[in-house]
Amino acid sequence: MEKGRERNRRGIRGWFDPTVPNNLERWAYFFQRLTGLGILAYVIGHIGDTSFFVGGPFGTGPNQSSWSFDLSITENVVGHLILIFVVLIVTFHGINGIRLILAELGIMVGKPSKIEYPYRPSSLRSVQRHIIWVAIVLAVLAAIWAGSILFG
Amino acid sequence: MSYVKLVVQRYDPERDEKPRFQEYIVPYRKGMTVLDAILYARDYLDHSIGVRFSCRMASCGSCGMKINGKPALACYTQVSELGTERIVVQPMDNFPVIKDLATDFEEFFEKHKELMPYLVREDRAEQENPKSEYLMKPEELERILQFTYCIKCGLCYSVCPTVGTDKLFPGPQAIAQAYRYVEDVRDEGGETRLNILDNPHGIWRCHFAGSCSAVCPKGVDPALGIQLLRRYVMRGKAPRKKGEGSKPFTK
Ligand code: SF4
């Protein structure tokens, strides 16, 4: 029995498969994790990048050549696209995070009521769901704004 | 449509190395449910198919399974609503497989029991042998009514991403039922339930993926119950202390 037990637990696969049962909150859950990992990767990269011109393990110290070298790897089209992507995921992660904090305080998740068929759970049609769309729209707008600055 | 191709996931953990799929051709009739199709295959084509069912009307919660990848009650899913002649049925995720489509609910019910899904009174003698009824106002009933419709089918448990990785997490069904009793004006066991849930594998592990509510066939909305219960856990205070439950009705 133990063999079957282990086989059937969904595991981390379940975190990264939002298609079952495909509700918007499950997609937000998936993107919250994904963007969290993206932000973590950016922070690690940013620390490495900063170390170039403050004399960290890769840098030669705070001087003109290390600063120029740092700019050469970040001030280009790919570097800018990465930064635009970072703005996109940070904005989504932040706003969706606020939604989750409020929802987990029981705010904007609706309230119990008499239910009738076809059932439409109040938590999945409450204000919190609109905030997911707000997070998506604001993340795209922030990315466009960042793009206009970096490429403008 | 004159027939359906029923594809059943076969797996006996005692004998098989891994699951396999077996196909059965089942004659279609109007109004046929997925459970009807499985029972036809079991009765006329292959007696060895393992499946659990009872009421055939979405009241007992026995026939939860994945139908074309989506968790649902087989008795509550019409073949015609799937819009395909090929129907793949698999056991629910997050439950150990007993055989084929039948899954083991032991862990699920243990977690449910741990959160005391019954009215708790400080006066134990009164709890066991109540002398009269306990009245509730309609608005008090409305706060818990939808949660009382839970049939313990386990569909919510099977889609919960936290249950999938944390064996100790009670799961959406058990926590929603804890809310149902904590919020019940006749109950005095709220503080004990909140203490059980206030641990690293408890209520804090829910991240509101909402999948439990999306699949619940009875409109229970466990995600709502969990978030509302979390307010009480956060305050460290149940709505009623011991001895503060509603009083027995007297004329
Ligand atoms: S809450 Fe809904 S999905 Fe979960 S066990 Fe109860 S009836 Fe089934």
Side-chain angles (χ1 to χ4, degrees):
Chain A
M1 180 57 67
E2 195 53 35
K3 200 167 67 171
R5 178 183 296 269
E6 290 312 323
R7 189 184 296 284
N8 215 29
R9 204 174 275 279
R10 212 156 170 224
I12 289 186
R13 211 163 26 106
W15 295 1
F16 295 101
D17 177 11
T19 59
V20 178
N22 213 9
N23 56 306
L24 190 60
E25 291 73 13
R26 184 66 174 252
W27 280 93
Y29 169 92
F30 164 68
F31 280 117
Q32 189 72 358
R33 299 213 150 198
L34 219 54
T35 53
L37 290 174
I39 293 167
L40 180 69
Y42 171 73
V43 169
I44 292 170
H46 184 63
I47 292 168
D49 168 52
T50 313
S51 77
F52 277 124
F53 52 88
V54 294
F58 310 114
T60 53
N63 54 44
Q64 181 69 39
S65 71
S66 65
W67 175 244
S68 305
F69 176 71
D70 184 67
L71 285 188
S72 74
I73 57 168
T74 54
E75 290 291 304
N76 53 48
V77 174
V78 176
H80 286 171
L81 287 176
I82 290 174
L83 281 182
I84 291 168
F85 184 67
V86 169
V87 170
L88 182 89
I89 63 174
V90 167
T91 312
F92 176 82
H93 194 87
I95 298 171
N96 191 46
I98 292 169
R99 173 188 74 93
L100 287 171
I101 292 170
L102 294 174
E104 294 181 8
L105 289 167
I107 298 168
M108 298 186 306
V109 286
K111 57 182 183 143
S113 56
K114 281 199 194 103
I115 51 170
E116 270 172 41
Y117 191 82
Y119 307 124
R120 292 174 62 232
S122 62
S123 71
L124 303 189
R125 54 188 167 88
S126 51
V127 180
Q128 65 80 20
R129 177 166 275 196
H130 302 311
I131 300 177
I132 300 177
W133 290 114
V134 171
I136 294 169
V137 170
L138 288 183
V140 171
L141 289 178
I144 293 171
W145 179 64
S148 72
I149 292 173
L150 288 165
F151 288 111
Chain B
M1 184 161 49
S2 57
Y3 68 90
V4 287
K5 231 184 249 176
L6 182 72
V7 183
V8 182
Q9 180 173 316
R10 308 298 308 272
Y11 178 56
D12 181 348
E14 306 289 326
R15 288 201 240 152
D16 301 333
E17 259 309 299
K18 56 181 181 23
R20 68 197 150 83
F21 288 96
Q22 202 162 342
E23 203 172 285
Y24 303 93
I25 303 296
V26 174
Y28 173 74
R29 61 172 173 74
K30 199 165 174 254
M32 181 182 237
T33 64
V34 173
L35 182 64
D36 292 335
I38 296 169
L39 294 183
Y40 181 94
R42 193 201 59 172
D43 292 347
Y44 299 108
L45 308 173
D46 183 348
H47 297 325
S48 71
I49 296 175
V51 59
R52 186 196 290 116
F53 69 99
S54 181
C55 72
R56 307 181 195 216
M57 50 184 234
S59 289
C60 71
S62 304
C63 65
M65 62 186 70
K66 282 196 289 182
I67 301 169
N68 288 347
K70 193 171 179 270
L73 295 177
C75 71
Y76 205 39
T77 309
Q78 294 267 319
V79 167
S80 58
E81 81 189 59
L82 296 171
T84 166
E85 282 176 4
R86 190 171 187 271
I87 303 170
V88 182
V89 285
Q90 294 169 276
M92 288 189 291
D93 289 326
N94 296 341
F95 286 89
V97 177
I98 296 173
K99 186 168 184 285
D100 303 335
L101 304 170
T103 49
D104 182 356
F105 271 57
E106 200 181 315
E107 175 186 291
F108 175 83
F109 284 132
E110 277 309 315
K111 290 175 175 177
H112 178 56
K113 275 195 269 176
E114 202 191 332
L115 285 162
M116 304 186 300
Y118 43 82
L119 292 177
V120 175
R121 300 289 297 190
E122 192 189 21
D123 182 347
R124 298 294 292 193
E126 171 69 14
Q127 179 173 338
E128 299 306 329
N129 296 297
K131 291 184 267 316
S132 70
E133 296 164 272
Y134 290 74
L135 300 185
M136 289 179 100
K137 296 189 190 121
E139 59 272 23
E140 291 168 343
L141 176 64
E142 203 165 292
R143 286 209 295 271
I144 61 165
L145 187 60
Q146 73 181 92
F147 301 99
T148 67
Y149 295 147
C150 173
I151 54 172
K152 291 138 202 97
C153 63
L155 292 176
C156 54
Y157 194 83
S158 77
V159 288
C160 173
T162 304
V163 171
T165 49
D166 186 348
K167 288 182 187 181
L168 302 175
F169 178 60
Q173 187 273 343
I175 305 182
Q177 289 312 297
Y179 174 73
R180 175 250 175 275
Y181 285 98
V182 168
E183 199 59 77
D184 193 312
V185 289
R186 301 163 296 177
D187 181 79
E188 296 174 348
E191 281 177 357
T192 317
R193 293 191 195 90
L194 299 192
N195 284 336
I196 297 171
L197 285 167
D198 186 11
N199 79 73
H201 296 282
I203 198 164
W204 311 113
R205 292 301 304 272
C206 167
H207 302 301
F208 195 39
S211 304
C212 48
S213 298
V215 297
C216 178
K218 304 300 280 187
V220 172
D221 202 351
L224 175 64
I226 297 172
Q227 312 320 313
L228 296 180
L229 184 57
R230 195 151 22 198
R231 282 205 292 216
Y232 291 126
V233 184
M234 202 134 358
R235 284 189 214 136
K237 212 165 145 232
R240 277 165 310 284
K241 289 203 186 80
K242 287 197 164 68
E244 287 180 359
S246 63
K247 303 286 171 258
F249 174 65
T250 45
K251 283 200 183 127

